[in-house]
Amino acid sequence: MSSERTSGEQAVDEQWTVPVDTEDDDALRDAVQQILSEVLDEAPEPDEDGDLPIWLADVLTYASVDAEDAVVELRTFLVERIGGRTRAAEVLGDLQSEWPDFKFVLHKDRVTAEQRVPASPLVPMHLVRAVGAIVPLVEEARVLASRLGGEACVFDGEESDEGEADGLPVNQGCGCGDCDCG
């Protein structure tokens, strides 16, 4: 394999490695939206709160921007209707070591996986890698739900034979049943 790189490869690398300065939430949201539109099947559109919904393998993730704290937070809705919170808290400890890129949060009967991407300045590749890390996690949503004693937060309600993460149309609700996460 040659160590020489074509000018096209260098242009692609520069696109993802050049930091993007953002001075406020709108500028940061625009930068995040532009980056995500280049890596997902469909460009996410901000919801009424300004969060960007991202669909991966029928599971919803929200990208929230905070220019003041210089961070993009990715929050993935994984499991709902957990029956045993104490047991779920124990399992979350195990999940934390298995999935070190994520912070698992138990809130009432739901579990989310969260990531924080530094955004002062925002390096596009950091966001792309963080979104990429979500793919294998959401592909395991049903397994995780079983381990946690709950139901997977999936839009389609049935296991897909494809096993691929597809960017799905936004504004379809989160698929978690009667929850208020969408």
Side-chain angles (χ1 to χ4, degrees):
M1 178 184 262
S2 172
S3 63
E4 292 183 33
R5 299 166 73 185
T6 66
S7 61
E9 288 173 328
Q10 289 174 334
V12 169
D13 287 348
E14 287 178 19
Q15 169 190 0
W16 300 110
T17 59
V18 174
V20 178
D21 287 320
T22 56
E23 64 277 354
D24 60 23
D25 283 352
D26 290 335
L28 180 55
R29 185 176 302 102
D30 290 344
V32 169
Q33 187 174 14
Q34 176 62 37
I35 293 164
L36 293 175
S37 70
E38 293 184 31
V39 297
L40 299 173
D41 290 341
E42 293 195 28
E45 292 296 325
D47 66 9
E48 62 275 356
D49 297 323
D51 297 331
L52 296 164
I54 304 166
W55 287 95
L56 299 169
D58 296 342
V59 174
L60 180 62
T61 295
Y62 277 109
S64 303
V65 301
D66 186 343
E68 186 174 319
D69 287 340
V71 68
V72 176
E73 184 174 303
L74 300 173
R75 190 175 53 256
T76 304
F77 294 89
L78 288 174
V79 181
E80 67 174 350
R81 297 184 185 121
I82 293 173
R85 288 178 44 86
T86 303
R87 175 66 184 135
E90 293 173 5
V91 173
L92 288 180
D94 294 336
L95 291 178
Q96 201 62 66
S97 65
E98 294 170 29
W99 300 90
D101 292 337
F102 298 93
K103 174 184 173 186
F104 291 93
V105 178
L106 175 63
H107 179 71
K108 296 184 182 177
D109 71 339
R110 295 193 178 96
V111 170
T112 58
E114 299 176 359
Q115 293 176 289
R116 294 175 60 93
V117 179
S120 177
L122 176 64
V123 177
M125 183 54 74
H126 295 170
L127 179 60
V128 171
R129 286 183 179 154
V131 171
I134 297 169
V135 173
L137 180 69
V138 299
E139 288 175 345
E140 295 293 317
R142 286 177 178 81
V143 172
L144 297 174
S146 175
R147 287 177 64 183
L148 289 163
E151 297 177 25
C153 291
V154 295
F155 177 72
D156 67 356
E158 297 177 20
E159 192 160 356
S160 170
D161 293 333
E162 296 172 14
E164 295 180 14
D166 295 323
L168 299 177
V170 295
N171 298 328
Q172 294 185 12
C174 72
C176 290
D178 295 327
C179 75
D180 59 358
C181 62

